[in-house]
Amino acid sequence: MIADSTPICARAHANIALIKYWGKRDAALNLPAVGSISITLADLYTETALTWHNAATDTATLDGQPVESKRISHVMDLIRALADTDQRAAVTSTNNFPTGAGLASSASGFAALVVSASAAAGLELSTRELSILARQGSGSAARSIEGGFVEMHRGHRADGTDAYAAPLADKDSWPLEVVVAITTRAQKAVDSTTGMTDTATRSDFFDAWVAGADGDLDAAREAIANRDFDALGALSERSCLKMHGLMLSTGDGLIYWSSATVAAIHEVRKLRAEGVPVYFTIDAGPQVKALCAPGYGAMVAERLGAVVGVEAAQLMGLGPAAHVIA
Ligand code: 2P0
């Protein structure tokens, strides 16, 4: 039994993939079919407070509402095994942004959970170990353990010990700006896990997607090393469009975009034609994220905020690694 039940609170920031993760090589261990490269965001985060309690089960709330989650219990079981305890936990989380709407809430959520739970259990884990734990809650969460520019390795081992995220570049070494254009705050109809599983089993294009991933990762890594904004932006847009092409090509056609998503895409391309260094990316939802060279975010936010159907355009920089805050 862990005697000390003082709450431990951690904050983890959401991330957006520039080179996308979509598809799994092992569902049980949640191993990705492809690697990915992301940036961690400054202004979107989850805070999670965890205390041990004497109840028979783990309990969790998100933004004040109770949540039932097998994934939370699964991650807690992994941490209990490492800490050699069977004590259950009370988990209290808040997101400072809409949940389940394509803004990577599972990424920041599971990263905050493993950082708070491992600290509360007295475990001193490396960021690689934390990343491997977070991955088993949500694949994208592995990346939110780190700040700045991050690469998630797909790994090749069956046990998943080589499927973890590692930093590529510090957030301050290349202060890119991101505009998040919110087109709806509603939860998406098809969650990412279901969407990925459908795509892998039902799209004719899935093998081509997997075959192209390593080349995209190599090129993006080089663009980051060279601080080549246009190269990184073009690769990001292309990876996003390839992923959405894959989604569209499933049996039923998985369409995450709304009309405002398409309007925002065209506005980004119009801005670029006017000479503004900006590229878009879109995750499993209708929100558009615009990647801007340093100094251009404010004007991109103004233009995207004026697009019909865009509810808000929020400008932010790159964010730090997940960390304990109290
Ligand atoms: C990504 N997405 O690379 C991609 C792009 C969404 C689109 O990772 O099944 O919630 O929990 O591993 O992490 C969202 O997927 O999926 C995601 P699981 P997750 O950011």
Side-chain angles (χ1 to χ4, degrees), residues 22 77 131 150 202 206 213 263 290 310 318 320:
W22 196 256
D77 285 345
S131 180
V150 179
R202 298 167 70 196
F206 188 72
V310 172
L318 305 189

Side-chain angles (χ1 to χ4, degrees), residues 17 21 24 30 71 106 138-140 143 192-193 196 243 283-284:
Y21 151 50
K24 299 175 193 290
N30 203 27
R71 290 189 189 198
S106 65
S138 190
S140 53
R143 302 186 308 241
S192 295
T193 308
M196 274 187 220
M243 180 186 74
D283 291 306

Side-chain angles (χ1 to χ4, degrees), residues 106-126:
S106 65
S108 54
F110 279 102
L113 178 69
V114 300
V115 171
S116 61
S118 59
L123 295 167
E124 289 184 13
L125 302 179
S126 65

